[in-house]
Amino acid sequence: MDFAHGETVTRLRGIPAIDPYSNESTGIDWTSPDELDVEGCAFNPGQSAEPLQVGRNAVTTQPEVYAPADADVLAGDRLVVRGLTYDVDGDPADWRSPFTGWTPGLVIALKRTEG
C-alpha cells in the first residue's frame, strides 16, 4: 500500500512496570513510552457513538489506520494520529494475497473514549 500523500503516525509502546521485590510485571507504565514514527499511513476517521450510561456523557470513536506491512504495531500499543492518542483495539490485520504473496499492509483498528 503506497499512499502519495500518506501521513506519519506515532506508535507508543508502554514499558512493563516491574515490582522490585518479586520481579513480576505489575502493569504497563505509560509515563515514558517507546516512540516510533510510522510513515506512509492513511487514516479512516471511522465512527463515533454516545453509549447511554447513567451519570456519564461518553463518546467512543473507532477509526482505522492503514499502515505499511512492516509497521511495528501490536495489540496493546497506542497510536498518535493528528494529535489525538488512540488505543490499538486488537491485533492489526495483516493482509496477504494467497495467489501472489502481495502484502498491501496492515489495517489497525483503534478506539478512543472520552468522558
Side-chain angles (χ1 to χ4, degrees), residues 1-19:
M1 219 178 337
D2 289 323
F3 299 109
H5 301 284
E7 300 182 47
T8 298
V9 303
T10 302
R11 187 265 291 147
L12 305 176
R13 184 166 291 156
I15 308 298
I18 305 296
D19 183 292

Side-chain angles (χ1 to χ4, degrees), residues 6-98:
E7 300 182 47
T8 298
V9 303
T10 302
R11 187 265 291 147
L12 305 176
R13 184 166 291 156
I15 308 298
I18 305 296
D19 183 292
Y21 301 104
S22 68
N23 286 329
E24 293 181 10
S25 177
T26 59
I28 301 294
D29 180 6
W30 288 101
T31 57
S32 217
D34 177 52
E35 296 185 20
L36 175 70
D37 286 340
V38 181
E39 298 177 359
C41 296
F43 181 65
N44 170 0
Q47 61 187 12
S48 288
E50 298 179 34
L52 296 175
Q53 295 177 348
V54 176
R56 185 172 180 190
N57 292 325
V59 175
T60 299
T61 305
Q62 294 178 296
E64 292 178 328
V65 165
Y66 308 115
D70 62 351
D72 181 16
V73 179
L74 302 171
D77 288 343
R78 294 178 179 171
L79 291 184
V80 179
V81 184
R82 299 180 182 175
L84 296 175
T85 302
Y86 298 90
D87 293 319
V88 173
D89 191 14
D91 289 320
D94 184 8
W95 289 89
R96 295 170 190 253
S97 169

